[in-house]
Every structure is written in structure tokens, then in C-alpha cells.
């Protein structure tokens, strides 16, 4: 079973913090991906200043600590935040619900929480969901489309056309940033088109966003505040945000 690229990067981060040195060949076998994929992962971690690449692998960047706290501890906190948001989202999913969900890590957590429920249909472009939850009680409809190997998701015109066939109760959407003036933002233009199609097919749009996404900008505008019904986050937003969300009749859950 493959994992999300984001999850793989975090595992490599934790390993290099614990062991100080990691090797491409060993990571390739352990994570069941090609050595070329591992090299790309290490390039990303080097760009984030987590590691310093060396021949055949990488070593921990000794300067990569956050408030003297190792990255693995920070990641554990992030995972707990994501699970908290996911549990809150589950409250809005009733028996017989139809859902469209993108490939994000938080949406994946939501679906794992409801995997034993019967009578729920999920339309998704996530390959990871197909791999892990295909034997669950959920009725999963895959969009198909062009495979993005980095995100383990489907994208492109086929994906969008499939989503347009279904009218659903809920769209579960994550994002890369929420700017008080610019709206909901994301980093991948191809994925933005998929998410825009998803919200058009849904009666209720739920945005799942950690508090770290607030006051953060990103490359592409995803949609306006008028397009969403609920935002679920892990901490109480500041008063300015609460006022903004209230003015757009957006329910905020935290």
C-alpha cells in the first residue's frame, strides 16, 4: 500500500532526525518506492533545510530545529491537529450522505473515521483512498483521470467530467492558505480546477484547515468566502476572522 507523498516526507524527516543519516537504497526498500522518488523527496527536504544531501543519501541539517523542538515532535502535533479537525467533520456526515473529497491528508482522515459506516457514497480523486478503503463499508466512486504520481491523485478533464456526473450533499476540501482579503488559496493549479468542480456539485462545502493556514497566502485562488458553508480548524481564530466568517454566514468550528 502506497502512502501520500506528504506522509512519506514526514517519515523520512523523522528517520533522519532519529538516525542523523539516511540512505537512498534503504529508504527505497523500506517505503516501497523507487530510488528516484526518494532522491526527489530528499531534494524537497533539502529545500526545506531539513537535510543536507550527501553521496547515496542525506544527513540531518543540525540547524533544523524549531524552538529547540525536533521536527518529529512538531509532526506528531500536526497529525493530532488533523485528526481533531477530521473528528469534527464527521459530525456533519449522516447516514446515507453523499460526499465528494479531494486527496488531502485531512480529508483522508475523515474517511478513515467513517470507513465502517454503511450507506455513505464517496466520490474522490484520491488513489490512496482507493488503496486503503476499497474494502471498507463505504461506496467509493473513483474519478479516474491522469495520474499525478507525486500526490497519488487523479487530475485533468476526465476527472472533472466524472465529478460533474454526481450531485452530492457535502464537499470536503482542504487548502494551502486562507487570506483575509484574497480568500481561500491553493498551490497547485490543476488541483484547484478539481476542487472548484467539486464545490459546484455539492449542497454544502466544508473547508478543513489547520490554524497555520490562516493568514497564509498561496499561488492560486481557490474560491471566495461566498462559496463555502463551514470552516473547521483546530484553534479559535482571532476576532477579525470570526467577524469575517460571520459576515459571510460561514459556520466556524474549532
Amino acid at each position: 500500500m502506497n502512502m501520500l507523498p506528504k506522509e512519506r516526507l514526514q517519515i523520512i524527516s523523522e528517520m533522519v532526525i532519529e538516525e542523523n543519516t539516511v540512505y537512498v537504497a534503504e529508504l527505497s526498500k523500506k517505503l516501497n518506492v523507487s530510488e528516484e522518488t526518494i532522491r526527489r523527496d530528499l531534494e524537497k527536504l533539502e529545500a526545506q533545510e531539513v537535510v543536507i544531501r550527501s553521496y547515496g543519501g542525506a544527513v540531518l541539517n543540525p540547524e533544523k530545529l524549531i524552538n529547540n523542538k525536533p521536527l518529529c515532535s512538531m509532526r506528531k502535533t500536526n497529525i493530532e491537529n488533523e485528526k481533531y479537525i477530521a473528528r469534527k467533520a464527521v459530525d456533519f456526515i449522516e447516514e446515507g450522505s453523499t460526499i465528494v473529497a479531494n486527496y488531502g491528508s485531512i480529508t483522508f482522515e475523515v474517511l478513515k473515521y467513517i470507513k465502517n459506516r454503511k450507506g455513505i457514497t464517496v466520490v474522490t480523486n484520491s488513489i490512496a483512498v482507493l488503496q486503503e478503503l476499497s474494502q471498507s463499508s463505504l461506496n467509493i466512486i473513483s474519478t479516474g483521470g491522469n495520474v499525478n504520481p507525486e500526490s497519488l491523485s487523479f487530475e485533468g478533464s476526465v476527472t472533472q467530467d466524472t465529478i460533474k456526473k454526481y450531485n452530492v450533499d457535502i464537499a470536503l476540501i482542504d487548502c494551502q492558505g486562507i487570506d483575509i482579503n484574497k480568500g481561500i488559496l491553493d498551490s497547485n493549479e490543476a488541483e484547484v480546477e478539481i476542487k472548484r468542480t467539486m464545490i459546484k456539485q455539492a449542497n454544502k462545502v466544508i473547508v478543513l484547515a489547520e490554524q497555520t493556514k490562516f493568514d497564509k497566502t498561496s499561488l492560486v485562488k481557490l474560491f471566495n468566502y461566498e462559496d463555502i458553508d463551514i470552516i473547521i480548524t483546530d484553534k479559535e481564530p482571532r476576532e477579525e476572522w470570526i467577524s469575517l466568517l460571520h459576515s459571510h454566514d460561514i459556520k466556524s468550528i474549532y
Side-chain angles (χ1 to χ4, degrees):
M1 180 185 69
N2 291 326
M3 62 182 69
L4 294 170
K6 180 180 178 181
E7 294 174 325
R8 192 174 62 243
L9 287 174
Q10 295 303 332
I11 289 174
I12 296 172
S13 296
E14 293 173 11
M15 290 177 64
V16 74
I17 289 169
E18 182 177 346
E19 301 173 14
N20 291 318
T21 304
V22 291
Y23 299 96
V24 171
E26 291 179 3
L27 290 172
S28 174
K29 292 179 181 178
K30 184 178 180 66
L31 301 177
N32 194 30
V33 294
S34 69
E35 292 190 4
E36 183 58 36
T37 296
I38 295 298
R39 291 190 187 95
R40 288 197 297 268
D41 287 344
L42 293 178
E43 287 177 3
K44 292 176 183 177
L45 292 176
E46 186 174 51
Q48 297 171 15
E49 300 181 344
V50 177
V51 303
I52 299 171
R53 284 189 297 159
S54 59
Y55 181 76
V59 297
L60 175 66
N61 182 349
E63 297 180 358
K64 192 58 177 179
L65 293 173
I66 303 177
N67 296 327
N68 296 319
K69 194 173 185 180
L71 282 178
C72 56
S73 298
M74 299 297 291
R75 177 54 188 160
K76 288 176 182 176
T77 300
N78 290 344
I79 291 173
E80 289 307 311
N81 291 345
E82 290 181 356
K83 288 183 176 180
Y84 173 83
I85 293 170
R87 287 194 296 270
K88 291 295 183 182
V90 167
D91 293 340
F92 294 93
I93 301 174
E94 302 175 350
E95 182 178 352
S97 291
T98 52
I99 301 167
V100 63
N102 74 294
Y103 71 83
S105 57
I106 303 181
T107 57
F108 191 41
E109 289 295 331
V110 176
L111 299 183
K112 286 196 289 186
Y113 276 123
I114 63 172
K115 66 180 181 180
N116 294 321
R117 293 192 188 182
K118 296 181 180 180
I120 295 177
T121 297
V122 179
V123 181
T124 183
N125 67 327
S126 170
I127 297 173
V129 168
L130 298 181
Q131 292 173 325
E132 181 151 329
L133 302 180
S134 60
Q135 301 302 312
S136 72
S137 297
L138 300 173
N139 175 31
I140 297 177
I141 299 174
S142 171
T143 62
N146 298 328
V147 175
N148 183 327
E150 288 298 311
S151 62
L152 279 180
S153 66
F154 295 112
E155 59 187 32
S157 59
V158 172
T159 306
Q160 293 185 59
D161 289 343
T162 301
I163 295 169
K164 290 176 183 177
K165 293 179 181 178
Y166 300 96
N167 298 309
V168 300
D169 299 317
I170 298 170
L172 296 175
I173 305 292
D174 66 359
C175 64
Q176 292 300 314
I178 306 177
D179 184 272
I180 206 158
N181 296 312
K182 299 175 183 176
I184 315 300
L185 309 165
D186 215 38
S187 57
N188 184 301
E189 193 163 2
E191 179 62 15
V192 162
E193 292 302 319
I194 299 299
K195 292 177 180 178
R196 286 174 180 166
T197 304
M198 287 179 170
I199 70 169
K200 289 179 181 178
Q201 302 304 117
N203 292 329
K204 182 180 295 181
V205 176
I206 302 177
V207 172
L208 311 172
E210 297 158 282
Q211 192 59 212
T212 54
K213 301 295 176 64
F214 283 71
D215 298 303
K216 181 180 178 181
T217 189
S218 196
L219 183 64
V220 186
K221 184 168 184 175
L222 187 52
F223 35 73
N224 294 310
Y225 296 110
E226 291 82 1
D227 298 317
I228 63 179
D229 301 289
I230 300 168
I231 286 184
I232 304 178
T233 186
D234 52 308
K235 294 180 182 178
E236 182 178 3
R238 69 177 192 272
E239 186 59 37
E240 186 179 7
W241 274 108
I242 292 176
S243 298
L244 175 72
L245 298 176
H246 180 73
S247 69
H248 289 286
D249 293 324
I250 299 171
K251 187 174 184 178
S252 56
I253 308 294
Y254 47 84

